[in-house]
């Protein structure tokens, strides 16, 4: 029992130490502070704060729009990654670089740009408004902004997985009689599913916490287009620190539960990796 | 089902991978396509499978007498085994083998019990029935290739095509698997073509061997024919080691390395020639024999193994390789520094003025 296992890789002790320290200092301790702060309200107080209709509506919008945006990003992101990995076309490098732009822009800039485009007088909004499809200042607009900022996560996590996918595997399926859709559904998608899930999870996590790009296009109407992060800021501006931290803590628990579930799902889809 | 490929030409950009190649594989035969890398053997196999198309307007592929040239790969009914297995890594061994049955349209698909039974039979045949629930990542290379073979056979193909099936495996497993492939073929009699660059593999396993070089077929024949009666210099060199000499043929006699011998079958040639002797075809003696012999000194003896290998230096300074049975080595008492006389029991002569054909001419 006391024999020390000496691995080939050096530095297990120090690296684990630093990892634990950083995760504690940067993630766990501040989050604990959140709970400590909101604990001042007591359980009943927290419950009362987060079950007001306005807060509930914000939760529904934040998580609902984020889930829808993540789902749409799964499809669009897959197509973009597939195109970038599988085909050669002029301007491919430029398209590849453009994918990263939502990462790089200050989110407020994206928000203003999207609002300018989709506002009823904007270039695109002008065309959509007569169709009875207002985008800006509606939940649709919120979803659109979340799709915009989430896309790079899906594309960038899928790209290496698709590059890894051997063309021979698809050929093998074709020789065995599979059609194009069967190859896509039975071979390509299941093989890259773990990476796709990672990307979608990242996009979702980012979307739930997104603030800058959403507040402009949403219009922030209570009960309609108000997202949770904005509500928190609003509470802070009214010096309701306890209320803000209570909402924050609940949001944290919900996000953590969803991320944990996805993680378990991922372990299940990646089960064939064991032994590799 | 027999396979016939006619006038197949395939170019990749400026590179001509196949140059008007024709090939016939009779029903139930196991044929090897043998050649160095870049000789076009894999391209030919992939064209037969339908994974690649011959250049537009060139060539035809026929299964029995049906023209399948434009039939898509999924409807050709072939089994294909890839060098790197190409297994579906997210599926178990069982599901990998069942894949070809499960993707069939509903009315042609066997029911669940039938699939289970057929996959079970195949896994028993490849001796992997105990590993049906594993994933490919948990198997060794040899096991993976057997799964790939079972998967290819599950759809009961009329034609089995194997692309360097043992190329990624280590020497011992390769040897076991090729014996096993031969036995399997003798049981199933599926018309099969396999690609290899390993002449031992081709000669040991196949009924017929096609030797390819630079997009053309150099020779086709039984393993005996291509080994003992190579049609071209390339085949001679490719199928085993050679000692090469520059010489001349005149009036039925061949002169090289200060000896002159009867040219035998090659007597019809005249002029400059290249002479080839395989290492095991030297007669080595201590005393000068009655016929012309090359004088040489033993430079190196490597006697670990059933056959002893000698490196000899001739009086002219050229190096020769010779192989002798252990007993002969001991009987002659050869060691480094021994002076010997060597004469070929058998030699092959090719005219030296004939430039081998180059692709694209």
């Amino acid at each position: 029992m006391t024999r020390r296992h000496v691995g080939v890789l050096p530095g297990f002790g120090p690296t684990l130490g630093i990892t634990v320290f950083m995760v504690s200092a940067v993630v766990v301790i501040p989050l604990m502070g959140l709970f400590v702060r909101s604990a001042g309200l007591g359980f009943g107080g927290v419950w009362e704060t987060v079950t007001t209709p306005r807060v509930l509506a914000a939760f529904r919008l934040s998580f609902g729009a984020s889930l829808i945006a993540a789902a749409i990003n799964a499809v669009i992101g897959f197509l973009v990654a597939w195109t970038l990995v599988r085909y050669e076309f002029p301007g491919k490098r430029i398209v590849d670089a453009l994918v990263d732009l939502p990462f790089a822009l200050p989110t407020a800039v994206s928000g203003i740009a999207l609002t300018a485009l989709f506002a009823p007088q904007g270039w695109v909004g002008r065309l959509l408004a007569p169709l009875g499809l207002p985008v800006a200042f509606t939940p649709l607009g919120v979803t659109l902004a979340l799709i915009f900022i989430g896309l790079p996560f899906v594309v960038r996590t899928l790209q290496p997985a698709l590059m890894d996918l051997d063309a021979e595997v698809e050929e093998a399926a074709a020789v065995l009689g599979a059609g194009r859709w069967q190859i896509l559904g039975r071979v390509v998608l299941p093989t890259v599913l773990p990476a796709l899930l990672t990307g979608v999870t990242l996009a979702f996590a980012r979307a739930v916490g997104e603030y800058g790009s959403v507040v402009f296009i949403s219009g922030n109407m209570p009960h309609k287009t108000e997202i949770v992060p904005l509500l928190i800021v609003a509470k802070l501006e009214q010096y309701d620190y306890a209320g803000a931290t209570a909402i924050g803590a609940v949001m944290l628990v919900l996000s953590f539960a969803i991320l944990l579930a996805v993680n378990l799902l991922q372990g299940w889809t990646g089960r064939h990796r064991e032994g590799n | 089902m027999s396979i016939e490929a006619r006038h197949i030409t395939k170019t990749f950009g400026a590179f001509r991978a196949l140059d008007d190649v024709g090939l016939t594989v009779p029903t139930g035969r196991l044929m090897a396509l043998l050649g160095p890398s870049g000789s076009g053997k894999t391209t030919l196999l992939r064209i037969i499978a339908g994974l690649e198309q011959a250049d537009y307007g060139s060539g035809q592929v026929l299964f029995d007498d049906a023209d399948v040239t434009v039939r898509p790969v999924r409807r050709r009914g072939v089994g294909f085994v890839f060098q790197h297995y190409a297994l579906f890594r997210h599926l178990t061994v069982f599901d990998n083998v069942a894949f070809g049955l499960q993707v069939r349209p509903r009315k042609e698909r066997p029911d669940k019990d039938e699939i289970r039974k057929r996959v079970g039979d195949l896994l028993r045949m490849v001796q992997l029935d105990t590993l049906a629930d594993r994933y490919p990542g948990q198997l060794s290379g040899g096991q993976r290739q057997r799964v790939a073979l079972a998967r290819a056979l599950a759809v009961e193909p009329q034609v089995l095509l194997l692309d360097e099936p043992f190329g990624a495996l280590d020497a011992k497993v390769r040897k076991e698997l090729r014996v096993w492939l031969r036995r399997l073929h003798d049981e199933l009699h599926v018309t099969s073509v396999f690609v290899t660059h390993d002449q031992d593999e081709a000669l040991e396993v196949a009924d017929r061997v096609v030797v390819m070089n630079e997009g053309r077929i150099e020779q086709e024949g039984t393993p005996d024919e291509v080994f003992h009666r190579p049609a071209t210099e390339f085949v001679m060199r490719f199928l085993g080691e050679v000692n090469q000499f520059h010489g001349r043929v005149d009036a039925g006699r061949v002169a090289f390395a200060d000896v002159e011998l009867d040219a035998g079958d090659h007597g019809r040639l005249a002029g400059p020639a290249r002479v080839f002797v395989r290492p095991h075809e030297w007669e080595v003696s201590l005393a000068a024999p009655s016929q012309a012999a090359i004088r040489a000194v033993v430079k190196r003896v490597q006697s670990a193994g059933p056959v002893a290998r000698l490196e000899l230096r001739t009086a002219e300074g050229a190096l020769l390789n010779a192989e002798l049975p252990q007993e002969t080595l001991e009987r002659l008492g050869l060691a480094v520094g021994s002076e010997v006389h060597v004469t070929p029991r058998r030699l092959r002569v090719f005219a030296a003025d004939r430039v081998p054909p180059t692709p694209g001419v």
Side-chain angles (χ1 to χ4, degrees), chain B residues 33 116 121 259 278 290:
Chain B
L33 297 181
R116 190 169 303 125
D121 289 346
V259 292
R278 295 221 188 269
S290 52

Side-chain angles (χ1 to χ4, degrees), chain B residues 342-354:
Chain B
V342 294
T343 189
R345 278 192 295 269
R346 189 162 184 196
L347 49 77
R348 283 154 194 99
V349 184
F350 296 94
D353 51 356
R354 211 196 74 198

Side-chain angles (χ1 to χ4, degrees), chain A residues 171 182 186 190 271-272 275, chain B residues 46 74 89-90 103 135 137:
Chain A
E171 288 180 348
Q182 285 175 316
R186 285 173 178 262
R271 65 202 180 284
H272 58 272
Chain B
R46 289 172 61 86
R74 54 184 290 235
R89 59 177 192 225
H90 64 288
V103 295
Y135 287 92

Side-chain angles (χ1 to χ4, degrees), chain A residues 161 164-166 168-169 171-180 182 186-187 190-191 271-276, chain B residues 46 51 73-74 78-80 82-84 86-91 99-100 102-104 135 137-138 144 151-152 155:
Chain A
D164 238 18
L165 191 67
D166 200 348
E168 275 192 356
V169 175
E171 288 180 348
V175 177
L176 289 167
R180 284 159 189 258
Q182 285 175 316
R186 285 173 178 262
V187 178
T191 311
R271 65 202 180 284
H272 58 272
R273 276 164 209 279
E274 66 184 280
N276 237 346
Chain B
R46 289 172 61 86
L51 289 170
V73 51
R74 54 184 290 235
V78 301
F80 200 100
F82 294 84
Q83 179 177 3
H84 298 290
L87 293 177
F88 308 124
R89 59 177 192 225
H90 64 288
L91 297 179
F99 187 90
Q102 283 167 346
V103 295
R104 286 188 181 171
Y135 287 92
Q138 299 165 307
R144 285 185 213 186
R151 181 179 69 174
V155 292

